[in-house]
Amino acid sequence: EAGVTQFPSHSVIEKGQTVTLRCDPISGHDNLYWYRRVMGKEIKFLLHFVKESKQDESGMPNNRFLAERTGGTYSTLKVQPAELEDSGVYFCASSQASAQTGELFFGEGSRLTVL
Amino acid sequence: AQKVTQAQTEISVVEKEDVTLDCVYETRDTTYYLFWYKQPPSGELVFLIRRNSFDEQNEISGRYSWNFQKSTSSFNFTITASQVVDSAVYFCALNTDEETSGSRLTFGEGTQLTVNP
C-alpha cells in the first residue's frame, strides 16, 4: 500500500513567486493534515481536512496560504506570494476516520526555500 | 495553551548504550494524549506511541520504553542497547480534547539522536 506522497520534495523560488505543494494521502483516509517545520523549530499545525471540507484552518499563518482538497482526495497548498519566512519543510499527514487521535501517517515533506 | 519542550537538541551515543530522550509538556486540560514520533533520514514522521492522560502505566516495546509521570508533566522515551538504525530525529507531541481538530498535535522541537558504531 502506498504511503502519503508529497510533491515536490524540494522547491527553490524567489521571494514574490508562487509555489504549489501537493499531497496524496493514503487511499481511503478521510483526514488530511498540513504541518510545517520552520528553521529546525517545532512542527506546527496548519490545517485539517475531513474529506473535502476544512475542519480546522486556524493554524494557517496568513492569507497568502491557500489549501484545497477538491473531491476529497489529494490536497494542494499554495503560497502566493512567497516570503522569506515561508521557508521550511511542509508535511502532509493522513488518517482514517476511525483512527485514534494522533496516529497519523506522514509524508516525507516538501522542503521550500524562498530566496 | 499547550506547549511541549524537548530540552535536548542533539544527543550522541555509542552503539549499545542506553539513551533517554526527555519530554516535558504543559496543558491545563485534564484529558490529553501524548505521542512520540520518529523521523528517520528519509524524512517522514513515523508514529511510535500514544498515551492518554489517565494511563500512567509505563510501556515497553522491545528496546523502547516510555515513562509517563503526571506529577512532573514528563513523558520520557528510553532506547535500550541503542543501534545505528535508531539514529533519527525524535519528536514528542501533545493533543488535548479541547482542540477543535481531532489530531491537531502540538510538537516539541525534536531531539536529533546519533548512534555511532
Side-chain angles (χ1 to χ4, degrees), chain B residues 24-77:
Chain B
V24 174
Y25 61 92
E26 296 175 30
T27 179
R28 294 179 183 170
D29 297 291
T30 55
T31 302
Y32 51 88
Y33 303 89
L34 295 163
F35 307 83
W36 277 94
Y37 276 84
K38 173 182 179 180
Q39 184 187 29
S42 53
E44 78 282 10
L45 277 76
V46 178
F47 169 84
L48 295 179
I49 188 170
R50 172 183 187 266
R51 213 79 185 127
N52 73 57
S53 52
F54 298 108
D55 184 0
E56 287 192 72
Q57 196 169 15
N58 291 331
E59 181 156 341
I60 298 174
S61 176
R63 296 183 298 106
Y64 294 173
S65 62
W66 291 269
N67 184 324
F68 175 28
Q69 292 194 342
K70 288 179 77 170
S71 60
T72 55
S73 297
S74 65
F75 187 44
N76 297 337
F77 174 28

Side-chain angles (χ1 to χ4, degrees), chain A residues 20-54:
Chain A
T20 299
L21 310 178
R22 172 171 170 145
C23 169
D24 286 77
I26 294 173
S27 177
H29 282 195
D30 288 341
N31 293 301
L32 187 149
Y33 302 83
W34 284 98
Y35 283 83
R36 177 175 74 168
R37 189 183 192 205
V38 173
M39 291 291 291
K41 295 294 185 181
E42 70 272 25
I43 299 170
K44 287 191 174 181
F45 169 85
L46 296 178
L47 88 159
H48 171 208
F49 283 101
V50 176
K51 296 184 180 179
E52 68 275 8
S53 299
K54 291 178 184 175

